[in-house]
Amino acid sequence: MMAIPQTSRNFTLAAIASFMMAAIFYFQLDAKSSTFSAMMAGFTLLSLALYQIQQTRHLIFTLWIFAAFGFGLLFPDAIMQIKNFDTKQLIIPLLMLIMFGMGCTISFADFVRVLSMPQSVIIGLLCQFTLMPLIGFALAMLSQLPPEIAAGIILVGCSPSGLASNVMSYIANANVALSLTLTAIATLLSPFITPFLMQLLAGELIAINSTAMFFNMLEIVILPVLAGLLVNHYFRHKVALLQKVLPLISMSGIVIILAIIGAAGREAILSIGLLLIAIVLVHNLLGFGLGYSLAKLLKLEEQDARTVAFEVGMQNSGLASGIALSMQKLATMGLAPAFFSPAMNITGSLLATWWRNSASQDKNQR
């Protein structure tokens, strides 16, 4: 039984009070600025409550993903426009910063590891770039959603895995070295593979300029990752603080991006939200299940199979959003990535915690 510290209980009660005040401000007084402030206070207090408990700290990021999406839906005008500045212009720079942060967390040793576990890496990459694109294509065709929104489902499937898969692999006692290697290689391969897959699978839904997509991804992905990789290689001892701060910056960047997408696609979300939530959940869960099953079928060890499950089921939805923005379709193609992010973080957290607990039980029984 997990013991809940008194401080956590106090923060939780204060958070509930803040959310109740937000509801009064929004529904009774129509005071949007006060509602925004009360909600921010509530989510901050709830984050502090989760932080007091070791087992729930990893849920803070998921909480703020929900918060960001909610803020986007409730306060679209405030999110989309700050004075005369269009906040959509922040998405690409934030993605580049996130990719730079990813580059700073990997080293050339991660690529050398391929030589020590080539089978696991090859199987992981093949699952990543076959299962999720094909599942996405099948769901998009079955959904009968508007073409641009359906294309967004395929776009999620054609994107590489993201940093969240590394975190979940760590929580689940999976092969973190393999996870880092697969994420790094899939990310660097994505400018070459994603445009091709989009042209192949989504070309009948929307016009795909694969050459322009390649160069956009080169700018968003390859250059920042390589810059981070070089910084990590040559200035490793001088950037120790930077390496600690960049994950927080990256998570904050993803939260901001999701708030903007929620605001930009508000009308479409309110009309088809439940259907799209169901589709992205199926997409995500099938990625976990089929990735793990295929890895086990191909005789990978348990830790490696868990890693492949996370690498397949958890996509870089932020990058998918950036691609949608570069195509000027953020409010349509960007919706599936926006829904996929909170969905995969919730299901990924649950799966990782379950695997971790099952591993602990196995050790206790020995």
Side-chain angles (χ1 to χ4, degrees):
M1 190 75 176
M2 183 174 60
I4 300 177
Q6 186 60 45
T7 51
S8 180
R9 296 174 190 269
N10 293 340
F11 280 130
T12 302
L13 290 173
I16 293 171
S18 294
F19 288 133
M20 290 176 66
M21 288 299 297
I24 293 170
F25 286 136
Y26 189 80
F27 293 108
Q28 298 295 325
L29 304 177
D30 195 26
K32 292 189 176 180
S33 61
S34 298
T35 304
F36 186 89
S37 300
M39 288 182 65
M40 282 291 292
F43 282 111
T44 302
L45 289 165
L46 195 52
S47 299
L48 291 170
L50 293 173
Y51 188 78
Q52 305 302 312
I53 306 170
Q54 183 71 36
Q55 296 92 327
T56 60
R57 287 180 181 177
H58 66 278
L59 296 175
I60 294 173
F61 180 47
T62 304
L63 173 69
W64 278 101
I65 284 177
F66 267 109
F69 210 55
F71 284 136
L73 291 176
L74 290 173
F75 313 104
D77 295 335
I79 298 294
M80 289 297 296
Q81 199 84 19
I82 300 176
K83 293 186 177 180
N84 295 323
F85 180 73
D86 184 356
T87 55
K88 285 192 289 187
Q89 297 178 38
L90 291 172
I91 292 180
I92 298 299
L94 284 172
L95 278 172
M96 295 176 71
L97 184 60
I98 292 167
M99 292 297 111
F100 174 76
M102 178 186 288
C104 286
T105 63
I106 60 179
S107 66
F108 290 106
D110 293 319
F111 299 99
V112 175
R113 287 196 196 101
V114 175
L115 301 176
S116 65
M117 44 184 172
Q119 182 185 11
S120 297
V121 171
I122 291 170
I123 290 172
L125 290 172
L126 286 175
C127 290
Q128 169 73 48
F129 287 115
T130 56
L131 290 177
M132 289 302 274
L134 291 175
I135 296 169
F137 174 76
L139 290 172
M141 294 300 102
L142 291 171
S143 70
Q144 297 185 332
L145 287 169
E148 289 187 2
I149 296 176
I153 299 169
I154 299 173
L155 178 60
V156 171
C158 295
S159 299
S161 54
L163 291 172
S165 62
N166 308 150
V167 176
M168 300 308 167
S169 293
Y170 172 75
I171 295 171
N173 288 324
N175 189 336
V176 179
L178 175 61
S179 180
L180 289 167
T181 302
L182 285 172
T183 299
I185 295 177
T187 299
L188 291 174
L189 288 176
S190 62
F192 305 93
I193 297 178
T194 299
F196 168 75
L197 290 174
M198 283 298 292
Q199 182 71 59
L200 180 68
L201 300 175
E204 292 186 4
L205 295 173
I206 59 169
I208 302 289
N209 186 334
S210 53
T211 303
M213 187 181 293
F214 167 77
F215 283 109
N216 284 330
M217 293 186 70
L218 203 66
E219 178 185 2
I220 297 171
V221 177
I222 298 292
L223 296 181
V225 169
L226 288 180
L229 183 63
L230 292 173
V231 167
N232 187 26
H233 181 72
Y234 289 108
F235 306 102
R236 179 173 299 176
H237 300 296
K238 296 181 180 180
V239 296
L241 179 61
L242 184 64
Q243 288 177 327
K244 292 180 180 179
V245 173
L246 277 172
L248 180 60
I249 295 174
S250 296
M251 289 188 289
S252 301
I254 292 170
V255 166
I256 293 169
I257 289 169
L258 284 174
I260 296 169
I261 295 171
R266 183 177 186 272
E267 297 305 319
I269 291 169
L270 293 177
S271 62
I272 59 163
L274 290 177
L275 175 59
L276 201 51
I277 289 171
I279 289 170
V280 299
L281 273 173
V282 171
H283 197 178
N284 169 234
L285 294 174
L286 284 176
F288 285 147
L290 293 177
Y292 178 80
S293 300
L294 190 56
K296 294 293 285 185
L297 187 66
L298 294 172
K299 309 298 184 184
L300 290 191
E301 295 181 0
E302 177 66 21
Q303 279 191 311
D304 289 2
R306 292 181 181 185
T307 301
V308 170
F310 288 121
E311 292 298 311
V312 173
M314 303 190 77
Q315 304 294 81
N316 191 336
S317 52
L319 176 59
S321 301
I323 295 171
L325 175 64
S326 67
M327 297 175 67
Q328 299 182 338
K329 300 183 187 299
L330 182 66
T332 50
M333 278 184 71
L335 293 184
F339 277 111
F340 197 90
S341 186
M344 75 174 186
N345 275 282
I346 293 170
T347 57
S349 296
L350 292 172
L351 179 60
T353 302
W354 182 72
W355 265 333
R356 186 181 187 88
N357 291 338
S358 63
S360 299
Q361 290 172 3
D362 290 343
K363 286 180 182 178
N364 292 334
Q365 291 171 359
R366 289 173 188 171

